Structures are given as C-alpha cells and as structure tokens.
Amino acid sequence: MSKRFNASFSTRIVAAACVLVASATLTGCGQDRDDGVYTVLNSSTDETYHRWDAEAMARCGKQLGITIEQQSVPAAQVMTKALRMASSRSLPDIVQFDASEMPTFAEAGGLIDLTTLGLSTRDIPKGIVAFGSYKGTYYGAARSVNTLALFYNKDVLRQAGLPVPTTWDELRATAKKLTHGKRYGLALSAGGAEDGVFQFLPFMWSNGGDERTLDGPRVVEALDFWKDLIKDGSLSKSTVSWTQADVNDQFMAGNAAMMINGPWQVETLNTDKSLHWGIAPIPVPRAGATSVGPLGGAVLTVPNTGDTERERMAGRIVACLSSEKEQLTYALNSWMVPANEKAAAVWRRRMPELQALAGQVAAARSRTAELGAGWSSVSLALQSAFQSALTGESSQAALKRAQQRATSGN
C-alpha cells in the first residue's frame, strides 16, 4: 500500500538488494547484540499502531523471557532502511514488510523460510499463505489482512430512496443521482502512487483483467469505467491527486456519498458520531460476478543474518506475534481481518458491521502472486496510465504505453 519507488530504483532494486543482503548473510551480524534484546523494524509510526505493537511485543517478550523493541519508520522507508542496514551488517531480528515489497528481499536471498523455524501455516487460508510466500516458500507471517470495500452514507442513500449498488451500472446510476452541489456521488483514489493502483485492482480483476497484460480489453474497460464516472460528474477530477486518506476526508466532510476505502479508516470514521456509514462489497461489472480485490497488509519476516541462534528466537517471536490470540487482539483494535481462520471466525461474530469486508478478503488476491518482485514495475506503469487517461488521453493509449513500460522496466 505504501510503496513510493521511482522508476530507475524499481528496475535496479533486486540487483542492489542481492549485493547488500549478501554482504550481511555471508559475514553474519556486524555488531555486538544483547542476547536478551530483539529488534523489530516496522512502519508503526502512527501513535495508536505503535502502542498496540508495543503492547503485543511486551506480552510476547514476557512469554519468551526477552525484551522486544520496535524501530518504526514511515512505510515508504522500510525497504530502503532494511537495505541500508543490510549493507552495514546491522539488520534487525525481524522486519515487517508490506507484503508487496517482501518478494524483493526474498529474491535477494535475504529472508529465512519460516517453516524451518517451526512456524505452521495450519488454519491460514491458502490465499493468505500465498500472500506471505515467494516462489512457494513461506517467508512472511501476516497477523491481519485487509482489502477494499464500498463505504456509503446510510442517511444520504435512504433520503434518496436508493439501494446500495451491486453492479457497475447500478454504481454509475446511483453515483450520478447522488451527485448534488458540492457533493459527489463517489470518491476514490487514482493518485500517482500505490494507493491508486490498489483501488483500481478490484475493477480490473473483477472484470477479468490481468496485470501481465495491462493493455488487454478487460483492463481498458475498467479504466474506461472510471473515466465515465468523471464524465458524468459523479467523480471529482481531483481524484488523480487524492490518497486514500484524502478520500476518507471527503467522505467525512459530506463531499462524497460513497467511497472506495479500507478498514484502516474505520477508527477515524467512528470519531464522527453523526455520520452513519455502512459497508458493502465493491460493485462488479455484471450481476453474479465475484468482487475480487487486492489483499493488503504487512508480513513479519526473519532476515538471514547468519546468526542461527538469534534467527530461531526471532522465529519464536514471529510465532507469538502472529498467534491466534494476538491476531484477534490486533484485529479488534485495528479493524483489520485476522489471517488465522479461527481468529477470523471470532472476529466476524464480534464485528458484524464489517461482514462485507470479511467476504471481500475471502476472494482477495495478492498483488505479487503473479509477478513477484516484478510487481513494482507494473504498479509504476499503472500509476502513470491513470494520470494520463483520467486527464484526457484514451485508456487504450495510456495502457498500451503502460504495458510497454512494465515490460521494459523503464
């Protein structure tokens, strides 16, 4: 969700990672470490997430008889921070990568197969196991996962006498009817970053589009649907610069009757007691089709530092943090869906208002399942295509250029 690589970096990152990670794995840790203190590098810079992680680490530390400390940097900096630490042989014991970035480090040989450290994938759905795997090897344990859904203002739809849309035709018609004055019918992110790509995938995948063929007719149709919403006036032209946080702000301010967003916004939404919102699956191209969104979230990984004793303990830490009990605690705090099936069943009973989200997660796909470390080139190509197509160029032309860019890596 949070990658911000530039084009030249994305094409060289795997090679650079191989060099930097090899320097760490072949020579072991380059610094003296306290045997009783273990470090987790993550992106929990938000105060609440940092606190939740600290509390979980304290519980697991007490259970294991060690101290677990977190180093938190912005999500866009986790990969570059990890690479710098690899080059100085000071890798942390655990790195929490965005799942879309994990394959890059795995490709470089920088991660340990978690099954060799005793972690089991029992009670984890196959799609979520794949989410944390690269070329069939399980490198990343997810505590929770997320995806996108359609959020809607219950009061606005009720006053208009309209049902929640379930198909593209219904979404377009409903959004047009709900557009009035300063209020748009729908808000979504089509910005030039991973946020926009994440939001496009439900439309592309549900329509049968493929990330390996960006200029295919199904992908073109999906982008044309976005263009139609702008043409109708139902979607703001500013969508090309909005992040998902911006979309949530628009929805909360009453400037959008519906929005595409994720569960990470729920805590903020609930601060406004006058806002009565609901959640539903993202509408599909045709009645009866499956709404397929992207799996989002982070995975806990153990870097290959060469210190087998510390790696084994790191594996025990990951097992504790991703245990059924800890997953449920984290998911209830964050509104995400637990990765563990048993924890998810409890979560559904306790979060009935988010049932639609649980359904979306069940059908969701990993962004890197098809392309692995090559995903970043596709993401960058799509970001550029959105900017061009939504500001005037034809979808066909923009996506043809995107396919050429993704294939060449430039």
Side-chain angles (χ1 to χ4, degrees):
M1 290 286 300
S2 56
K3 268 190 296 193
R4 299 292 186 270
F5 298 142
N6 60 44
S8 61
F9 183 69
S10 73
T11 58
R12 301 197 310 262
I13 190 169
V14 173
C18 289
V19 173
L20 294 175
V21 172
S23 71
T25 57
L26 295 176
T27 58
C29 298
Q31 61 178 355
D32 293 329
R33 299 181 186 236
D34 186 328
D35 290 339
V37 179
Y38 288 75
T39 305
V40 178
L41 174 65
N42 63 25
S43 60
S44 299
T45 54
D46 180 87
E47 187 277 328
T48 52
Y49 281 88
H50 193 85
R51 172 165 43 82
W52 295 333
D53 278 338
E55 291 168 353
M57 291 174 196
R59 288 190 295 268
C60 287
K62 183 177 181 180
Q63 178 180 319
L64 298 170
I66 57 174
T67 298
I68 308 172
E69 299 177 344
Q70 61 179 324
Q71 295 180 7
S72 300
V73 299
Q77 298 176 21
V78 171
M79 176 60 75
T80 50
K81 174 77 170 178
L83 290 175
R84 285 197 299 270
M85 295 177 84
S87 69
S88 62
R89 291 177 292 159
S90 60
L91 278 165
D93 300 289
I94 296 166
V95 179
Q96 181 172 287
F97 285 113
D98 183 286
S100 66
E101 293 184 338
M102 177 274 292
T104 296
F105 223 75
E107 175 83 4
L111 298 177
I112 301 292
D113 178 351
L114 294 182
T115 62
T116 67
L117 299 177
L119 275 84
S120 171
T121 58
R122 188 179 64 250
D123 298 326
I124 304 175
K126 290 182 179 180
I128 298 179
V129 173
F131 181 67
S133 300
Y134 178 61
K135 292 185 176 179
T137 301
Y138 186 56
Y139 292 112
R143 289 183 292 171
S144 65
V145 291
N146 61 66
T147 191
L148 296 165
L150 179 72
F151 287 73
Y152 58 92
N153 187 310
K154 291 182 176 180
D155 294 334
V156 171
L157 263 72
R158 186 180 63 252
Q159 290 165 10
L162 295 171
V164 179
T166 60
T167 66
W168 283 8
D169 285 345
E170 291 175 2
L171 178 60
R172 186 176 181 185
T174 301
K176 192 169 184 177
K177 290 176 182 176
L178 295 178
T179 298
H180 180 73
K182 294 182 179 180
R183 186 186 69 206
Y184 289 94
L186 179 69
L188 56 80
S189 168
E194 189 73 10
D195 276 9
V197 177
F198 199 73
Q199 295 227 329
F200 182 64
L201 290 176
F203 295 89
M204 181 177 94
W205 282 342
S206 298
N207 198 42
D210 192 319
E211 55 268 43
R212 293 168 299 185
T213 312
L214 298 181
D215 54 352
R218 298 294 189 176
V219 185
V220 173
E221 286 175 2
L223 189 49
D224 275 342
F225 180 71
W226 275 15
K227 286 173 67 74
D228 287 341
L229 292 169
I230 290 179
K231 186 189 304 180
D232 290 347
S234 305
L235 185 65
S236 171
K237 293 180 180 179
S238 297
T239 191
V240 295
S241 62
W242 283 348
T243 65
Q244 292 178 122
D246 295 329
V247 169
N248 195 57
D249 289 343
Q250 294 296 321
F251 183 72
M252 292 189 70
N255 296 330
M258 300 179 290
M259 70 170 177
I260 305 297
N261 228 314
W264 51 87
Q265 307 293 5
V266 170
E267 185 180 16
T268 304
L269 288 170
N270 284 344
T271 62
D272 185 351
K273 302 303 180 184
S274 67
L275 177 61
H276 305 126
W277 56 272
I279 187 172
I282 294 175
V284 291
R286 293 159 294 280
T290 300
S291 184
V292 183
L295 271 178
V299 291
L300 294 165
T301 69
V302 176
N304 182 2
T305 63
D307 187 330
T308 55
E309 186 174 344
R310 290 190 72 92
E311 289 168 1
R312 282 195 294 271
M313 177 55 78
R316 293 177 66 191
I317 294 170
V318 171
C320 180
L321 291 173
S322 60
S323 65
E324 181 182 337
K325 181 179 179 180
E326 287 297 337
Q327 282 195 27
L328 182 59
T329 299
Y330 185 79
L332 290 172
N333 280 332
S334 65
W335 302 87
M336 306 298 180
V337 182
N340 179 284
E341 287 181 319
K342 292 180 179 177
V346 177
W347 180 88
R348 289 187 186 95
R349 291 196 296 270
R350 296 176 65 175
M351 295 284 192
E353 68 272 33
L354 296 183
Q355 279 290 337
L357 186 68
Q360 288 272 181
V361 164
R365 289 172 47 188
S366 166
R367 284 165 284 172
T368 59
E370 294 287 342
L371 301 174
W375 168 256
S376 60
S377 293
V378 167
S379 176
L380 286 163
L382 278 173
Q383 291 167 31
S384 179
F386 300 157
Q387 299 295 298
S388 299
L390 298 181
T391 54
E393 188 175 19
S394 74
S395 297
Q396 179 69 62
L399 287 168
K400 182 177 181 180
R401 189 167 58 255
Q403 178 62 27
Q404 293 171 342
R405 182 179 181 183
T407 303
S408 67
N410 294 320

